[in-house]
Amino acid sequence: MLELGSRPSASAPASRVPVDRYARWTGLAVGALASRWLLPLNGGEGTLYAILVFGLCAVAGVLLGDALTAPRRGAVRTAALTPRRVRDYVPPRMTPLLLGLAAALVALLTAAAAVASPDDLGRAGRALTVACRGVTQSHSPWPGLYYGLPILTSLALSTAACGWSLRRIATRPGDEQSRRDRTLAIVAAWGLVVSSSLFGAASMVSGALMSTTCDGAVGVAGNWTVWPLGLLALVTAPWCLFTIISPRATAWRGRRTGSSGTDRR
């Protein structure tokens, strides 16, 4: 794909801006309603599935808004043999952080699945069971395969959908500013899935470890590992949510393009 040097249009047509905005808000509203319906489920499943559904609905709303909004076009001036790459448009600081959180989520779920055991009803991958001094303690919920597989599935689906959309935005016609704005919104939607899922998994691990007394030094080390991850996810999630809600995702616009007073929120 060749990069066309163009003069960005002053602003998006007014008729196109609300479409994207309302699609994002609709996705969040549907996710909130679905989450409220799922929360009463027992055994920790309600909270987990509410988090996953809310994140996926947020992603769906952002992708729908992007699909319904035609790219802005500027006046073509010159052509250069410079291929457009996704990494040229993603936020330079938040993207590595979100990738790190996603890697931590996969590692946490893998470790949790390795030590998971059946619960008191014999259902596999739903509890943590430890024994010491002739005493056996078990706590559920625990993010073994029963809870971990839905989390990993939602992560895989959102990653595939957002990755495809980012590639589409980078290669389709349009102006540079519009690409950056839409890329930021999609990264934030994916980040909401990652951060909320990590917070949910870390909370389950911490709750189980704090409810047992036979975990010893391993349990203490586990808690000191998941607490910072959960806190970081808890801080990251509001940034992602605010970026999705905002009419135009432009938090990184001036920093990436070196623009001045005309580029304001």
Side-chain angles (χ1 to χ4, degrees):
M1 173 62 67
L2 300 182
E3 174 65 45
L4 297 180
S6 61
R7 187 186 306 276
S9 56
S11 60
S15 59
R16 297 190 311 192
V17 175
V19 174
D20 183 25
R21 184 188 312 171
Y22 295 153
R24 297 185 197 182
W25 291 355
T26 299
L28 293 174
V30 172
L33 292 175
S35 299
R36 184 176 181 182
W37 179 73
L38 290 170
L39 279 174
L41 295 179
N42 295 326
E45 297 180 11
T47 302
L48 172 64
Y49 293 143
I51 291 174
L52 298 182
V53 168
F54 181 76
L56 291 176
C57 287
V59 169
V62 172
L63 298 183
L64 178 62
D66 177 67
L68 296 177
T69 305
R72 294 183 294 174
R73 296 177 181 271
V76 177
R77 299 172 57 192
T78 59
L81 294 175
T82 305
R84 292 195 294 264
R85 302 170 300 181
V86 172
R87 64 184 181 184
D88 295 330
Y89 298 99
V90 297
R93 295 182 181 177
M94 187 57 66
T95 302
L97 173 61
L98 294 176
L99 290 174
L101 292 181
L105 174 62
V106 173
L108 178 61
L109 293 177
T110 301
V115 299
S117 60
D119 61 7
D120 53 356
L121 297 179
R123 296 172 295 187
R126 300 184 63 165
L128 172 68
T129 302
V130 292
C132 65
R133 298 183 296 275
V135 177
T136 300
Q137 297 178 333
S138 181
H139 182 82
S140 180
W142 174 261
L145 289 179
Y146 183 86
Y147 297 106
L149 282 180
I151 297 176
L152 292 175
T153 300
S154 67
L155 178 63
L157 291 175
S158 60
T159 300
C162 291
W164 174 84
S165 186
L166 290 175
R167 177 65 179 170
R168 172 175 171 267
I169 290 172
T171 57
R172 72 184 181 186
D175 69 277
E176 290 293 286
Q177 192 57 66
S178 177
R179 291 192 192 98
R180 299 185 191 281
D181 293 343
R182 310 202 71 77
T183 297
L184 177 59
I186 292 173
V187 170
W190 181 75
L192 185 61
V193 174
V194 172
S195 56
S196 59
S197 299
L198 179 58
F199 178 75
S203 298
M204 294 174 69
V205 170
S206 179
L209 293 178
M210 294 182 67
S211 299
T212 60
T213 57
C214 287
D215 49 359
V218 175
V220 174
N223 267 324
W224 281 104
T225 301
V226 298
W227 285 343
L229 291 176
L231 180 60
L232 187 57
L234 186 61
V235 172
T236 305
W239 178 90
C240 297
L241 183 60
F242 175 78
T243 302
I244 297 172
I245 293 175
S246 60
R248 296 181 65 194
T250 57
W252 291 90
R253 194 167 54 172
R255 190 171 300 174
R256 290 297 306 272
T257 62
S259 56
S260 57
T262 56
D263 282 333
R264 297 178 182 174
R265 292 188 62 84

